[in-house]
């Protein structure tokens, strides 16, 4: 018989492993706010999914992807500074999601679970989604790693070198959308980008190459998941936030290690 | 001048050709009807004051930007090595020099090693890219451009922040690279004297092509001097560029070179071409004209 905590643990580890390399790219390319916006917009996706009675994970993936592509276009064609634009979209889509949701009195939805995650409610189906999605993300990242890295260093140089810079960027934001969608259940709308960014930032002082940083970020994320789950059992705290607190503690430790070493 | 080189030049193939390029940014007509061609085995310097459209032209030639009008023809399968003017890599990306160079498409460890040795920067191989000095970083960027075995090497203001010794070394390297790789080289500079001895052809740009031709001729042309000449210089006379110390600052050189000064005038420049055509065969003529000069 499978212990009740094994499913959530594997789900958390799967998400953390995927978030490592993707989060590193997010940190290098300053896409943190972008990820936040996707996550906040995801709530709108859930609302629409419920409204039209769609498969919730599919609705999430779909709405996140559409939002990602819209953001990519807006970034190119509007004169508004992209952080302002993202800030507007991020919070207004979250607000719209909450408002629309409130119209449906007959819909019973655990809002807290979507905002802060409900790791312990993970079922086998979710686990399957996480591992299928995670493998796809990691596979594509490994396949296109050199091009992604080259365009992170300089989009111009990469374009002249013949890397498909635009397609790579589109791929990256779609993968980000996918990860946001599948990790929603684990840490919730408000904390997803924490899981992407904090482990990567914690890995930075310890890494000598981009690949090392990506793998260390996965490792640190996975340690945070284990520690977060353990502490949430011991102290009876909400699991998602406890995982983020663990990651943040590891970040502080890595910064201290870094300043001591210098 | 090596006669063999002249022969090679005569049958040089065009790598990239721009025809009738126009570009407007807002209400500024930055590039007006630009025609130019770059051939194999030739070193072309594009020179002009700040804001003359050098960078716009370069971006268009490189295919990073599509001009408002005009046509760019590239030789099929053209590989371009580009050395940007500046490139800052974020501190959050842990990247060593070798790691950076390995990002060039098709880069292999041995080739990276070879270029590091050739450019005398082997010691930097494991250094984080963020910790290099200006001169070191320029060499790394050059190595990156060379790693793709370019047919066309494009260097945008390659000596910014590099000391005099480094500048001299870099410029001396260019003809060697050209001969070894048989590539065309395009240099962008705002100072002709630095690059004079190594350049086959100069294109003087100020919105339009003011004049072009061999550096000796361009440096004494009215168009060039109206753009770069010293205000006080009224001396006439031909001063051969190769007799000048190639690294002397322009303030010292300009009085000797300045023919006379006048406000730059577009109408005037339309007839001011020295070597009016941009055809590749003219590279050959230019070379024969300059026979007897020492180029090294």
């Amino acid at each position: 018989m499978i212990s009740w905590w094994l499913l959530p643990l594997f789900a958390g580890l799967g998400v953390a492993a995927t978030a490592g390399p993707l989060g590193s790219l997010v940190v290098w390319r300053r896409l943190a706010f972008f990820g936040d916006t996707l996550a906040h917009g995801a709530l709108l996706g859930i609302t629409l999914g419920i409204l039209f009675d769609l498969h919730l994970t599919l609705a999430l993936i779909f709405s996140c992807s559409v939002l990602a592509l819209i953001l990519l276009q807006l970034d190119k064609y509007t004169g508004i500074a992209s952080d302002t634009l993202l800030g507007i979209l991020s919070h207004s889509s979250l607000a719209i999601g909450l408002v629309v949701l409130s119209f449906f009195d007959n819909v019973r939805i655990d809002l807290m679970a979507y905002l802060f995650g409900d790791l312990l409610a993970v079922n086998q189906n979710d686990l399957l989604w996480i591992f299928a999605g995670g493998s796809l993300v990691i596979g594509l990242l490994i396949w296109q790693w050199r091009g992604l890295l080259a365009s992170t260093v300089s989009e111009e140089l990469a374009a002249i070198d013949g890397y498909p810079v635009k397609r790579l960027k589109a791929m990256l934001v779609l993968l980000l959308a996918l990860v946001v969608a599948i990790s929603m259940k684990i840490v919730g709308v408000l904390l997803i980008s924490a899981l992407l960014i904090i482990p990567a930032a914690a890995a930075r002082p310890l890494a000598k190459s981009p690949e090392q940083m990506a793998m260390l970020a996965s490792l640190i994320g996975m340690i945070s998941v284990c520690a977060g789950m353990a502490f949430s059992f011991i102290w009876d705290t909400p699991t998602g936030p406890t995982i983020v607190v663990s990651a943040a503690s590891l970040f502080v430790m890595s910064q201290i290690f870094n300043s001591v070493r210098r | 001048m090596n006669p063999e080189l002249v022969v090679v030049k005569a049958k040089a193939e065009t790598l990239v050709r721009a025809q009738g390029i126009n570009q407007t940014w807002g209400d500024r007509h930055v590039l007006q009807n630009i025609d130019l061609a770059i051939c194999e085995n030739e070193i072309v310097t594009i020179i002009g004051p700040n804001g003359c459209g050098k960078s716009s032209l370069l971006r268009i030639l490189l295919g990073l930007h599509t001009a408002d009008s005009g046509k760019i023809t590239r030789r099929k399968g053209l590989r371009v090595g580009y050395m940007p003017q500046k490139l800052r890599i974020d501190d959050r990306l842990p990247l060593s020099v070798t790691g950076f160079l390995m990002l060039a498409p098709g880069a292999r460890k041995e080739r990276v090693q070879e270029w590091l040795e050739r450019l005398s920067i082997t010691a930097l191989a494991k250094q984080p890219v963020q910790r290099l000095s200006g001169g070191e970083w320029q060499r790394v960027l050059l190595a990156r451009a060379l790693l793709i075995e370019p047919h066309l090497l494009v260097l945008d203001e390659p000596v910014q922040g590099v000391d005099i010794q480094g500048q001299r070394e870099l410029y001396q390297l260019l003809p060697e690279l050209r001969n070894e790789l048989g590539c065309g080289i395009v240099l962008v500079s705002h100072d002709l004297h630095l690059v004079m001895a190594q350049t086959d052809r100069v294109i003087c740009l100020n919105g339009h092509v003011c004049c072009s031709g061999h550096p000796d001729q361009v440096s004494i042309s009215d168009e060039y001097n109206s753009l770069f000449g010293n205000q006080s210089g009224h001396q006439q006379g031909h001063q051969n560029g190769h007799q000048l110390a190639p690294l002397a600052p322009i303030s010292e050189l300009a009085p000797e070179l300045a023919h006379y000064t006048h406000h730059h005038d577009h109408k005037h420049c339309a007839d001011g071409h020295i070597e009016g055509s941009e055809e590749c065969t003219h590279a050959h003529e230019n070379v024969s004209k300059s026979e007897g000069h020492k180029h090294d």
Side-chain angles (χ1 to χ4, degrees):
Chain A
M1 194 194 134
I2 308 171
S3 295
W4 60 272
W5 50 267
L6 265 184
L7 273 182
L9 180 65
F10 280 125
L13 291 177
V15 168
T18 313
L22 196 64
S24 301
L25 281 163
V26 166
V27 166
W28 298 329
R29 301 180 71 140
R30 299 165 185 265
L31 287 173
F33 217 178
F34 197 95
D36 249 346
T37 309
L38 287 183
H40 291 180
L43 195 68
L44 196 57
I46 291 174
T47 312
L48 294 177
I50 293 169
L51 192 58
F52 297 109
D53 198 20
L54 301 172
H55 187 287
L56 273 195
T57 311
L58 280 180
L60 257 178
I61 293 174
F62 180 75
S63 58
C64 283
S65 306
V66 170
L67 190 60
L69 292 177
I70 292 173
L71 289 177
L72 202 61
Q73 293 303 313
L74 282 179
D75 198 33
K76 249 183 273 176
Y77 295 114
T78 57
I80 310 169
S82 58
D83 62 333
T84 311
L85 186 69
L86 287 175
I88 294 168
L89 283 170
S90 166
H91 298 111
S92 47
S93 60
L94 182 62
I96 293 169
L98 291 168
V99 169
V100 172
L101 209 53
S102 73
F103 285 138
F104 303 99
D105 292 335
N106 53 340
V107 176
R108 300 283 302 152
I109 176 169
D110 185 1
L111 194 57
M112 285 300 276
Y114 283 108
L115 289 179
F116 296 106
D118 189 2
L119 184 55
L120 302 185
V122 164
N123 59 35
Q124 282 175 339
N125 222 348
D126 296 325
L127 193 63
L128 203 67
W129 272 105
I130 287 168
F131 275 82
S135 318
L136 180 71
V137 170
I138 290 183
L140 285 172
L141 286 183
I142 291 174
W143 179 44
Q144 294 294 340
W145 187 252
R146 204 192 255 208
L148 283 167
L149 213 52
S151 46
T152 300
V153 165
S154 160
E155 291 205 343
E156 281 193 356
L157 215 50
I160 292 166
D161 284 346
Y163 290 112
V165 174
K166 280 185 190 144
R167 260 179 290 159
L168 285 171
K169 191 168 185 186
M171 184 187 93
L172 185 63
V173 297
L174 285 176
L175 292 183
L176 194 57
L178 180 63
V179 168
V180 165
I182 60 174
S183 46
M184 189 104 161
K185 262 211 162 149
I186 315 302
V187 284
V189 168
L190 297 178
L191 297 177
I192 281 175
S193 41
L195 209 57
L196 284 167
I197 293 157
I198 300 175
R204 171 63 187 97
L206 312 172
K208 287 206 164 58
S209 71
E211 294 78 17
Q212 260 182 24
M213 179 161 153
M215 283 189 278
L216 274 169
S218 290
L219 191 67
I220 291 171
M222 288 159 93
I223 294 171
S224 311
V225 167
C226 296
M229 278 186 71
F231 287 127
S232 79
F233 292 155
I234 296 168
W235 292 321
D236 194 23
T237 49
T239 320
T242 314
I243 290 173
V244 175
V245 171
S246 309
S249 314
L250 287 173
F251 170 76
V252 171
M253 280 191 246
S254 101
Q255 293 301 307
I256 292 171
F257 169 78
N258 190 35
S259 53
V260 167
R261 191 177 49 175
R262 271 187 193 170
Chain B
M1 176 59 68
N2 182 352
E4 278 168 33
L5 209 55
V6 176
V7 175
V8 173
K9 275 172 174 298
K11 57 180 179 188
E13 210 182 319
T14 306
L15 296 172
V16 59
R17 177 188 298 276
Q19 286 162 292
I21 299 295
N22 280 287
Q23 177 65 47
T24 314
W25 298 121
D27 51 3
R28 273 187 60 214
H29 204 165
V30 183
L31 296 174
Q32 294 162 34
N33 208 21
I34 306 278
D35 289 314
L36 65 90
I38 316 283
C39 306
E40 280 178 323
N41 281 303
E42 89 171 322
I43 302 180
V44 177
T45 298
I46 299 176
I47 189 167
N50 287 332
C52 70
K54 282 178 299 193
S55 340
S56 300
L57 181 60
L58 210 58
R59 289 179 62 81
I60 290 165
L61 282 176
L62 288 166
L64 290 171
H65 177 79
T66 310
D68 292 345
S69 69
K71 199 174 137 205
I72 297 283
T73 330
R74 238 162 288 212
R75 197 182 72 178
K76 250 198 172 152
L78 184 74
R79 277 197 304 271
V80 182
Y82 173 53
M83 179 175 161
Q85 191 177 345
K86 42 180 143 24
L87 177 61
R88 220 194 100 59
I89 294 183
D90 198 288
D91 277 335
R92 285 172 286 190
L93 182 64
L95 195 62
S96 69
V97 167
T98 307
F100 173 74
L101 293 175
M102 287 299 285
L103 293 177
R108 285 175 293 119
K109 272 256 157 67
E110 315 88 72
R111 299 284 299 150
V112 169
Q113 194 58 39
E114 271 172 48
W115 279 116
L116 286 175
E117 274 165 33
R118 179 68 198 279
L119 300 172
S120 344
I121 44 174
T122 319
L124 305 178
K126 292 199 172 116
Q127 287 281 316
V129 285
Q130 290 91 350
R131 273 201 221 139
L132 305 183
S133 73
E136 289 169 341
W137 184 225
Q138 291 291 357
R139 283 176 193 227
V140 173
L141 288 174
L142 181 62
R144 161 84 195 256
L146 290 166
L147 265 168
I148 72 162
E149 294 170 19
H151 304 120
L152 177 64
L153 184 61
V154 180
L155 311 170
D156 190 359
E157 302 268 4
V159 293
Q160 286 212 333
V162 179
D163 59 35
I164 297 285
Q165 181 60 26
Q167 294 183 8
R168 197 192 313 252
E169 281 172 18
L170 184 68
Y171 284 131
Q172 279 167 357
L173 197 61
L174 294 181
E176 287 175 33
L177 291 173
R178 182 259 312 265
N179 295 344
E180 266 174 52
L181 303 169
C183 59
I185 299 181
V186 178
L187 269 167
V188 170
S189 177
H190 57 265
D191 190 345
L192 177 59
H193 300 286
L194 289 173
V195 292
M196 198 130 160
Q198 274 80 29
T199 300
D200 298 322
R201 190 152 58 95
V202 174
I203 294 167
C204 184
L205 193 70
N206 188 27
H208 56 281
V209 176
C210 297
C211 53
S212 73
H214 191 273
D216 286 348
Q217 298 157 337
V218 167
S219 64
I220 56 159
S221 74
D222 298 344
E223 293 77 19
Y224 174 78
N225 286 301
S226 68
L227 281 176
F228 295 101
N230 190 317
Q231 296 293 320
S232 62
H234 285 275
Q235 287 173 301
Q236 295 217 349
H238 182 147
Q239 180 73 43
N240 187 321
H242 297 306
Q243 289 162 3
L244 299 166
L247 293 167
I250 192 151
S251 53
E252 284 172 36
L253 297 166
E256 295 172 301
L257 287 166
H259 203 192
Y260 58 88
T261 44
H262 62 270
H263 268 295
H264 197 65
D265 183 310
H266 289 200
K267 267 181 279 173
H268 161 89
C269 281
D271 352 307
H273 287 240
I274 290 201
E275 237 15 81
S277 167
E278 292 296 337
E279 293 303 315
C280 290
T281 47
H282 286 258
H284 172 89
E285 288 172 26
N286 287 342
V287 168
S288 34
K289 276 180 195 163
S290 66
E291 262 175 0
H293 290 316
K294 279 180 83 173
H295 275 254
D296 293 322

